[in-house]
Amino acid sequence: MADLSAFPIASRWPARHPDRLQLYSAPTPNGVKVSIMLEEIGLPYEPHYVDIGKDESWTPEYLALNPNGKIPAIVDPDGPDGKPFGLFESGAILLYLAEKTGKLLPADAALRYETIQWVFFQMAAIGPIFGQVGFFHKFAGREIADKRPLERYATESRRLIGVLETRLTGRPWIAGDDYTIADVATLGWVRNLIGFYEARDLVGFDDFPTVAKWLERGLARPAVQRGLTIPAKG
């Protein structure tokens, strides 16, 4: 049986199955990336709900694993060289899991880097900008009388969706014919923008039919549907 005692997070969220990969998360756009990935690849794992509404991601135990204090983080009891291994940042986790299992990342070197490029595009552009739309349109920022920040982020979100529209034209998935970690990284963010953030009209999402069809294809995948609600609220 794996010994996870070196990770303080395991004392706050004890493992019932310590030989499985441990996921510490919540169903946020970044959180569901990893739960969807785990459902897609079929790697046994144990999810733990981290209540961000109660600031649990800022507890000492969580910060010992993820000093950035954000969702998600993992501990893999069978990490590199067979040793327990902790990792944070969703994009890094996707890449790690893809390389660990040989799934959802092209073997061809050029296409592999092209795929990673689009994961970085989500992390560096789509995630931060869509998140700001959520803040100024859905959350506390909507009370701010000056609407210029919202307009700026909505305009930039529309531009980024346009980048996806161009990329997906003639392709079923971001990397081409095959569904990859680039799609896993991006689906939850686009879904949140037009759903939970209620920004469909704000960004003119219906002007981008190719992205809409890609989102529909992605959400139809059973692993995606399961991953969107994992971990369940404790």
Side-chain angles (χ1 to χ4, degrees):
M1 181 176 292
D3 180 7
L4 305 181
S5 61
F7 298 91
I9 199 167
S11 64
R12 188 177 184 96
W13 289 277
R16 297 188 303 273
H17 306 284
D19 291 330
R20 300 179 187 177
L21 183 142
Q22 304 294 303
L23 170 65
Y24 308 94
S25 190
T28 65
N30 281 333
V32 300
K33 288 184 207 173
V34 179
S35 55
I36 289 170
M37 180 69 175
L38 288 164
E39 289 293 317
E40 290 279 8
I41 63 180
L43 190 68
Y45 71 102
E46 181 178 352
H48 302 276
Y49 179 75
V50 179
D51 193 335
I52 55 178
K54 296 179 179 178
D55 289 334
E56 288 188 339
S57 65
W58 299 106
T59 57
E61 296 88 350
Y62 189 86
L63 290 171
L65 176 58
N66 183 353
N68 193 32
K70 302 295 184 179
I71 298 298
I74 65 168
V75 171
D76 184 359
D78 182 28
D81 300 321
K83 299 176 182 178
F85 176 66
L87 195 63
F88 70 96
E89 292 298 337
S90 56
I93 295 171
L94 291 184
L95 183 57
Y96 170 74
L97 292 173
E99 292 188 333
K100 177 183 176 74
T101 62
K103 297 180 179 179
L104 302 190
L105 186 63
D108 176 81
L111 190 54
R112 177 178 179 273
Y113 282 109
E114 194 173 332
T115 301
I116 294 170
Q117 162 188 263
W118 287 97
V119 174
F120 287 0
F121 170 73
Q122 180 279 301
M123 294 174 64
I126 283 180
I129 297 297
F130 287 12
Q132 291 299 319
V133 169
F135 175 76
F136 285 103
H137 186 62
K138 173 80 173 179
F139 298 116
R142 71 180 184 274
E143 305 298 334
I144 298 173
D146 186 348
K147 298 304 177 186
R148 284 175 295 180
L150 173 60
E151 292 169 3
R152 181 261 189 268
Y153 289 116
T155 298
E156 181 66 359
S157 292
R158 180 178 173 85
R159 184 189 73 80
L160 293 172
I161 299 169
V163 173
L164 281 178
E165 181 81 5
T166 299
R167 175 63 183 178
L168 286 163
T169 298
R171 296 180 175 90
W173 303 109
I174 291 174
D177 292 335
D178 296 323
Y179 173 87
T180 67
I181 57 173
D183 303 288
V184 175
T186 311
L187 281 166
W189 275 107
V190 177
R191 172 181 176 265
N192 245 46
L193 179 71
I194 65 171
F196 184 65
Y197 293 162
E198 301 173 346
R200 186 184 196 105
D201 293 339
L202 179 69
V203 301
F205 184 76
D206 291 335
D207 294 336
F208 303 98
T210 304
V211 174
K213 290 177 182 177
W214 162 83
L215 180 63
E216 184 178 355
R217 279 193 298 276
L219 294 178
R221 296 177 69 88
V224 173
Q225 283 299 308
R226 293 192 301 270
L228 289 172
T229 58
I230 297 172
K233 188 172 182 178

